[in-house]
Amino acid sequence: MNSNFKEEKQIVRDFYARLDSARGAGIPAVLEAFTSPDYLWRGFHPFNEITSARDVAESFWTPLRGALTSMQRRMDVFMAGQNTIAEQGGVWVVSMGHLMGLFDQSWLGISPTGKIAMLRYCEFHRVENGKITETAMYFDIPHIMVQAGLQPFQTQTAAHLVQPGPMTHDGLMFEQQNPAAGLKTLAVIEAMIRDLGQWDSGLGLEDELRRTWRENMIWWGPEGIGATYTIERYAKQHSGPFRATLSNRSKTSHIARLAEGNFGGFFGWPNFTATPSGGFMGMPATDTPGEFRVIDIYRRDGDKLAENWIFIDLLHFWNMQGVDILGRATGIHAVRETGAKGVRYD
């Protein structure tokens, strides 16, 4: 089994170099040059699934690059690994950080500020035979809404900041890593998933968390929930309220799960479903199950997890409950079915 992923990493690095320097009409050509004919792109609401590289360029990248001028890609984590989800397989390359630019033009109905704006993102790229065949591109639209002066959510239980990268500053793994370290990271993540998948281990929440998390863990959550620090505060400010206000939670399911060095992560489409029983994010109860599309990136310290960066498609979840968060905040209502045409507006 390939253990260095040098070729796959270089393909994604070359893709980023070309994409980040392309302008206007050149952006679709870059997407088409680096992706396969059957390319599948998964993005947060209102983009969803797109099955054409040109449509990805025209509906997502070109408008975003036009809105955030002089864009920089500021990566905090870069890694690759063999997918451990057997039925999916493949080598995936992961990038996480911020896309920073000057917010000079409207995007998704969000008015520009003329100031620096930072869009949190995480991408999983499946690379096969020299091409990118699948991408999961998850990004925190509500956070950029807040930077533009909007308030998409009524309340959040923790704090949201422009989130830093790893405390250890060692997340950019361009070179080969020790395979044993990656296996150790993956084992801790798998143990955490087994605990989480039960939703109630019978140990008590904080004791359950201590099995796989360091006491001074940091959970970097999305806008609308926020970030929280230490097991005690994480249980109080997110995990406890989350479990108390969401019922009928399904088991978790992932498309890709991997680790390299001291870092690892996964994504699902969706990861799980749950029904709001009232109180989650200050919203009322519904009888409608909603999907949680999630990326989790972890840093291991010793034999436990120390940091966790989380991307949740909250716009999609609440849209399934009949609440158009984006449209409510901007006054522009997105058409739900985007398909291969990308995003359109009424």
Side-chain angles (χ1 to χ4, degrees), residues 11-64:
I11 287 169
V12 173
R13 293 182 72 184
D14 291 344
F15 169 59
Y16 283 165
R18 290 274 304 278
L19 176 63
D20 295 349
S21 62
R23 298 290 181 270
I27 295 175
V30 173
L31 267 291
E32 290 179 330
F34 280 88
T35 60
S36 63
D38 57 348
Y39 181 55
L40 171 61
W41 186 92
R42 299 178 176 94
F44 275 6
H45 176 85
F47 297 95
N48 303 309
E49 289 188 344
I50 304 177
T51 56
S52 157
R54 178 164 290 272
D55 286 335
V56 173
E58 292 178 350
S59 65
F60 178 74
W61 281 112
T62 301
L64 178 64

Side-chain angles (χ1 to χ4, degrees), residues 31 86 94-95 99 108 116 285 294 339:
L31 267 291
V94 181
S95 164
L99 299 174
L108 300 177
I116 285 176
V294 183

Side-chain angles (χ1 to χ4, degrees), residues 285-299:
T286 76
D287 295 322
T288 305
E291 294 178 343
F292 280 85
R293 300 168 173 172
V294 183
I295 279 180
D296 275 73
I297 301 296
Y298 300 90
R299 178 176 70 85

